[in-house]
Amino acid sequence: MQLCVALDLPSAEENLALARSLSGYDIWMKVGFRSYIRDGKEFLEALKAINPDFKIFLDLKLYDIPNTMADAAEEIAKLGIDMFNIHASAGAKAMREVMERLSKFENRPLVLAVTALTSFDNGSFETIYGKSIDEKAEEFARMSYENGLDGVVCSAFESRAIKSVTGEGFMTLCPGIRPFGEDAGDQQRVATLETAAQELVDFPVIGRPIYKDPEPAVKVARIMEIIS
Ligand code: C5P
């Protein structure tokens, strides 16, 4: 598994201080709406300046008409980040157009599709999507695989089933990980690291349990011991 740390703190300074404290680790940094909207491209550059080996996952969850998504994907690829995501519910055509547009890049970023947000419980998910989370997540994963994406964002509980209906190397990235049973916050479907490993998760995403810890670097050291 490869640890992905969510940089969701209220200021660039705090996020960069967190990144600096973790600079000795071979980990992924997840830059989401909050940081990217506020701090932009300079923030990505500042992260790389701390450790050029940090891998960057730009979590912007694109969802629009296919052409607009492909345009955005191209601009994202030019930023030189390593992975980004789109919403699977944007559909197969959007997936194909995004992947086709990225094919001109020699080192294109990995592209994942969000299946079901981990903040949904079954009832609220079904109201919108008309199917259970399990069923729809598998359907979205198959669609993503068939249209050339590299993996999906899902909860740890769908990871194994998704692997069985897609192909070798198709990746799962799973937020809602509470490594040592920490507070779930607004997440509905949370899993420990042990469960994530059992369910064949490739990227556990961890935010609050790390950045709200009084000693984030110590917490990451404990996590890395389990992961490696
Ligand atoms: O603090 P916590 O560990 O819950 O952070 C999870 C991170 O993963 C947040 O940045 C959230 O936006 C993101 N995320 C999520 N569920 C998804 C996709 C991304 O929680 N399906």
Side-chain angles (χ1 to χ4, degrees), residues 59-109:
D59 181 19
L60 298 181
K61 303 184 182 72
L62 304 185
Y63 183 53
D64 210 309
I65 58 171
N67 184 62
T68 303
M69 285 177 64
D71 287 344
E74 182 171 351
E75 297 304 332
I76 287 174
K78 288 182 196 161
L79 295 172
I81 53 92
D82 305 283
M83 176 158 72
F84 72 96
N85 55 2
I86 66 174
H87 268 285
S89 49
K93 188 164 187 286
M95 290 177 181
R96 279 196 300 275
E97 287 200 23
V98 163
M99 298 317 288
E100 198 183 303
R101 190 73 71 86
L102 293 177
S103 62
K104 65 179 174 197
F105 290 88
E106 210 170 296
N107 277 318
R108 71 159 175 84

